[in-house]
Structure formats: C-alpha cells, structure tokens
Amino acid sequence: MTCLPSYLSGGSPSAALRALLKPSRRQQPPAPPPPHSHLALAPSAARLAASVASAAAAAFAASGLLSQPLALAGRGSSPPPPPSAPSSSQRCLSSDASSSELPSRSGGGVGFRPARVVVVAKTTRYEFEQQRYRYAGLSEEDLKQLLALKGSNYSGLLERHRIHTKNVEHVVDSLRNEKIEVRLVKRREYDEETVRWADAVVAAGGDGTMLLAASKVLDRLKPVIGINTDPDRSEGHLCLPVRYTHSFPDALQKLYRGEFRWQWRQRIRLYLEGTGINPVPVDLHEQQLSQEQHSRAHVNGRFQDQRSQISEPHLLPVRSLNEVFIGESLSSRASYYEISVDGGPWEKQKSSGLNICTGTGSKAWSFNINKVANQAVEEILKIAKSYESLRLPLNKELVQKVTNGYNESLLYSPEEPKMFFSIREPISNRVFSSSRQRGFASKVCIRSRCWDACMVVDGGTSFEFNDGAIASILINTEDALCTVLLDE
C-alpha cells in the first residue's frame, strides 16, 4: 500500500491524497532533506570582543579585499594557465579563431570562440514534483490537487518553470545561431564523457547549477560559465550579470572580441586515508535522500567497494568550489574529531561540525556562520565603553561601521590560494578545547571520531567519514576553475 507523509495522515486532505495515489503499490519516495542551516552563529564572547575591537580600530580605514582577476582569453587552444599571483590581470584582445598557441601573459591575448558547448540545465521545482510522483501516474490535474494539499502553489511553480525553460532555450538558440554545436543535458545526463566532449560548459540555472557543472570539470583550461535563468528567485552570485540572461548573444560577442576577463577560482582538493572509509561518493541531489537513506547509501557503497582500509592518501574525484562541511549526519548529535591546522599539533574537538571554504565560498555558508549583527556589536561596544580608559562615540554610525568592518574581513578573493575554516559551536571544557575557532589556513587535517558522519562537498556530494578516517584538505593551484567575468 502507499505510504503517506505524516502531515497528510488524517482528515479529508488525506482521503483526497489517497484517492490520487491509489493506483500505485510502490512506496512513496521520501521528501528531499532540508538544506543546511545558514543561521549566523555567535562566537564566544571573549573572541568576539577581541575581533570587534580590532574591527573598530580599522572601521575608518579603506579596504580593498578583492584582487583583480586575470584577463586573458583563448581559442583554438585552451585558456591560458592561471597566474602565480592572483592580483595580475590584463585586458583581452581579439584574435583569429584558428589560433592554436597559448597567449602570453604579458600581452597579445585572444578572444574565445568554442566549437562545442554543453549546457547543463537545472531541474525546476515543477519538474522535481513531477518526477517525485511519477510512479503514481498522476495527471496534471492530480498533481495540481496534490500540491494544493501540501500548501504549494501549482500555478507559481509552473510559471517559474516556464521562465527558466524560455531562458534556457534563448541560450541554446544563441549558441546554435553562431554555428556552435550544443548538447543540452540535465543532471542525470551530465557525466565525464560529456565534459570531455565540450570546449566549454554553460550552467543554466543558479549558483547550485554552477556548482554542479563545476564539480565534474577537472581540466583547469575548460571554462565554466553560469547563466541565471530565474533572476527574480535566484541570487546567481556565480553567474554572469543578469542582463545577459536575456541578451546572451551580447555575451558571446564579447567572448569573441576578447572583451572579458578570465577568473581562476581556487578549489579545494581532498585526500582520504585510514580505516572504515569509502572513497565512492553519494550524489545527494540525485538521491534526494533522507537521513536514514543517506546512511544506507553509504553502507551499500562500502559493500560494493571493498577498499575499507587505505594506507596511502586517496585523492577524491571531486573539487570543492564553495566549501567542505564535516559533521554528523544527525544534526542534533555533536561531532567528535581531531584537527590539525597547517601541520600544527592535533587537538580534540567537539562541535556541531566544521566548514572549510574557498574565497568563492567565503560569501556563502561560511559568511553566514561567522557574521555578526549590529545588536551584538552594540552590546559589546557598550561593555567596552564602560571602561574609563576607552572613549568611544557610541552611535548607530559607529556600530554599523564596526559591524561592516568585521563582516567584510570574512571575505577574500576567489583567486587567493588559501582556505578559511570555521568551527561551529565548539564545546570547550577540561577535555575538549578550541584554540582557534576560525582562521585562514593552507592545509587542514581531520581525524574522525564520529559515529555516523559525512564529508559533504558543495552541498551536493557526500563521502562517509567515520571513526578511523583521516581527511587532508588543501588547495592546489592546478585545480583552479576557469570562469569568465563580463562587465555589467
């Protein structure tokens, strides 16, 4: 018989739902897991006070956090290799598409004209709901009633789907009008063979689609370009400016003329070693797993791959563009592990998990973990002002400047080859400590003492990470992702 969600287990809505799903004898697939909590977590009072005091001292100083990206383009060959120093940049110059030599860094750059492009289109919420209940053979009217029972707006989902589809068609048509060979694929069809076939990858969706598209591109000379196909509902921080959503031919012409800049976004690579590990990843987006199924998927994977003990570090087949999160699958359970930063001593810790991000990811989850609010800053400054030796003109303007100064210090350029780690809600007592709650690092090593933990890459790819497993997390400039910057 059909299993129904608990929130539809009684009353007339339940009867209606049963009527809709009656033809099926298969068990209903689980709802997708909730996304990561992006709540801002307040640091300890002492550390926050020190940080805010430092931010106050620098509140009136001008800061330039982001370095200029490299500006070279290529066609006939691949884009030029990333620079050794992230601050170098120069303007692109146009060139014959038949050029086969890499442009020099000192000048003589060329435009970029790909011959084959793969367009990776996101799965809309409307498509997801269709796929989720496809086993029941629902008609459109049935789906509409089902979504209404769940409190979802069928018309709204359908409208967003149509907007996305129209913008994807615009991108594909624009490419084909330029005699570019195009493959349009969804998540399930996007694989390594497709990536090898293409000269460039276009992610048509939002930031999540961009992360998906980037995850399978290990060639640092293959550009990945993001297009926001629903700007009203998606931030699209990793995508081209919104105006190119509706005028993609303009973007192509700028690529041809070399009127753009390459940006080499640094990525994190991961090594696993130790006992009880499984280097085979689980695709969380594809599985749409509940916590129970997530664990089962990892267990099944371990039986399929007998390499439960790896004495030498094993390089995992993914690169992280945003962040790596390590923690227990059950969020209410404390994560127990040992950590070593930049070759330092191992330290036992318990916390709600740890986040390690790149410069790209410093504006994402990591920022929301560490940012402070005006209220916290104001209360700390009031305490600071209570000391006679400290004279501060406490007002809203100062509070805002200090808040902004501290929060901006959490951000750094996507091209800088360094990581930023954050320990979420560390537990400090006579057994466990947290000498550094956050900070920049070149290498972070984690030894798991967890019961049912995972190492999640960019929110979409998960690796089992339980007691005995050791992860080495670092940045190698060879892994930099080649992306494109266009002017507004």
Side-chain angles (χ1 to χ4, degrees):
M1 62 181 290
T2 301
C3 297
L4 299 174
S6 59
Y7 56 84
L8 294 176
S9 59
S12 57
S14 175
L17 183 60
R18 287 192 180 94
L20 286 172
L21 303 181
K22 187 176 180 180
S24 171
R25 293 182 177 273
R26 293 178 57 184
Q27 185 175 5
Q28 177 180 342
H36 291 303
S37 171
H38 283 198
L39 297 177
L41 303 174
S44 64
R47 297 185 189 281
L48 181 58
S51 299
V52 169
S54 175
F60 300 97
S63 63
L65 295 174
L66 299 179
S67 60
Q68 293 295 324
L70 178 67
L72 289 175
R75 165 61 191 143
S77 62
S78 300
S84 56
S87 60
S88 63
S89 66
Q90 60 183 187
R91 198 66 182 170
C92 299
L93 302 176
S94 61
S95 174
D96 190 329
S98 64
S99 172
S100 61
E101 295 182 358
L102 289 174
S104 66
R105 295 181 186 178
S106 60
V110 294
F112 180 66
R113 182 186 291 266
R116 297 185 294 191
V117 171
V118 58
V119 177
V120 185
K122 77 173 182 181
T123 299
T124 64
R125 170 73 186 282
Y126 170 77
E127 291 174 314
F128 168 76
E129 294 293 351
Q130 279 190 321
Q131 295 170 13
R132 185 180 179 190
Y133 295 107
R134 64 185 180 276
Y135 72 96
L138 299 185
S139 66
E140 281 297 302
E141 185 60 31
D142 292 337
L143 180 62
K144 184 176 181 179
Q145 293 180 35
L146 176 58
L147 291 175
L149 290 172
K150 294 167 56 180
S152 297
N153 186 334
Y154 170 85
S155 299
L157 296 182
L158 184 58
E159 177 63 19
R160 306 322 302 181
H161 170 74
R162 287 172 175 167
I163 290 173
H164 161 76
T165 301
K166 180 180 178 180
N167 288 327
V168 171
E169 291 174 350
H170 171 66
V171 170
V172 172
D173 291 344
S174 300
L175 291 166
R176 287 175 174 162
N177 288 340
E178 295 293 329
K179 310 303 181 185
I180 296 174
E181 190 175 353
V182 180
R183 283 188 188 177
L184 176 61
V185 300
K186 291 286 191 177
R187 176 182 296 275
R188 291 183 178 181
E189 305 157 332
Y190 184 57
D191 54 23
E192 287 74 12
E193 187 280 327
T194 302
V195 173
R196 287 192 296 269
W197 171 86
D199 297 325
V201 178
V202 172
D207 288 339
T209 310
M210 180 68 176
L211 292 174
L212 164 67
S215 67
K216 297 186 184 299
V217 178
L218 301 184
D219 183 351
R220 63 182 181 140
L221 301 181
K222 183 163 296 186
V224 180
I225 303 169
I227 294 292
N228 189 346
T229 56
D230 192 0
D232 293 337
R233 296 296 182 91
S234 176
E235 177 65 26
H237 171 70
L238 301 178
C239 301
L240 296 181
V242 170
R243 81 176 188 87
Y244 296 108
T245 297
H246 307 293
S247 58
F248 194 65
D250 292 347
L252 291 177
Q253 294 304 315
K254 288 192 173 185
L255 289 178
Y256 299 163
R257 296 192 299 265
E259 298 175 357
F260 68 97
R261 290 174 290 171
W262 291 120
Q263 183 172 53
W264 305 93
R265 294 181 179 270
Q266 298 297 325
R267 296 191 289 180
I268 295 172
R269 65 166 52 184
L270 306 100
Y271 294 88
L272 265 183
E273 61 182 307
T275 60
I277 72 170
N278 176 19
V280 178
V282 171
D283 187 333
L284 300 184
H285 293 290
E286 177 65 25
Q287 298 294 335
Q288 293 294 309
L289 302 171
S290 66
Q291 191 272 334
E292 179 183 358
Q293 286 182 309
H294 189 176
S295 301
R296 187 182 302 123
H298 278 302
V299 171
N300 292 341
R302 187 191 303 138
F303 283 115
Q304 294 170 8
D305 191 319
Q306 299 301 318
R307 294 174 296 171
S308 61
Q309 180 169 353
I310 299 179
S311 58
E312 296 296 327
H314 178 82
L315 177 62
L316 298 181
V318 295
R319 302 293 182 269
S320 173
L321 181 58
N322 256 9
E323 76 272 315
V324 176
F325 175 78
I326 294 177
E328 288 280 1
S329 299
L330 188 62
S331 60
S332 61
R333 181 186 293 147
S335 300
Y336 175 24
Y337 54 87
E338 298 173 33
I339 182 172
S340 169
V341 178
D342 288 335
W346 289 90
E347 182 176 271
K348 290 183 179 180
Q349 289 187 353
K350 272 191 175 181
S351 69
S352 62
L354 60 144
N355 178 294
I356 304 170
C357 76
T358 63
T360 297
S362 68
K363 292 185 176 181
W365 191 4
S366 174
F367 181 76
N368 288 287
I369 290 174
N370 294 290
K371 70 180 181 182
V372 295
N374 286 4
Q375 180 181 356
V377 172
E378 183 177 6
E379 292 172 357
I380 291 175
L381 290 178
K382 285 180 180 178
I383 295 174
K385 191 177 180 181
S386 66
Y387 295 94
E388 294 183 0
S389 60
L390 188 59
R391 305 296 181 184
L392 288 174
L394 188 56
N395 51 51
K396 290 185 178 180
E397 182 180 1
L398 176 62
V399 170
Q400 189 63 59
K401 285 184 177 180
V402 173
T403 303
N404 292 344
Y406 177 83
N407 290 339
E408 288 172 3
S409 72
L410 302 172
L411 309 176
Y412 63 105
S413 169
E415 295 184 298
E416 289 193 58
K418 63 182 181 181
M419 304 179 298
F420 186 82
F421 71 92
S422 308
I423 309 300
R424 300 197 319 170
E425 302 171 313
I427 297 173
S428 297
N429 52 36
R430 63 183 181 83
V431 178
F432 300 99
S433 60
S434 179
S435 60
R436 294 180 66 192
Q437 187 171 337
R438 70 184 64 80
F440 291 103
S442 298
K443 182 178 181 180
V444 178
C445 294
I446 311 292
R447 179 184 289 120
S448 176
R449 300 300 184 207
C450 293
W451 174 257
D452 181 26
C454 295
M455 180 167 62
V456 182
V457 179
D458 288 339
T461 304
S462 177
F463 295 88
E464 184 178 1
F465 192 65
N466 291 323
D467 190 20
I470 301 174
S472 298
I473 304 171
L474 63 152
I475 282 183
N476 186 318
T477 55
E478 294 295 313
D479 298 326
L481 182 72
C482 181
T483 60
V484 168
L485 290 180
L486 291 179
D487 295 334
E488 295 282 352

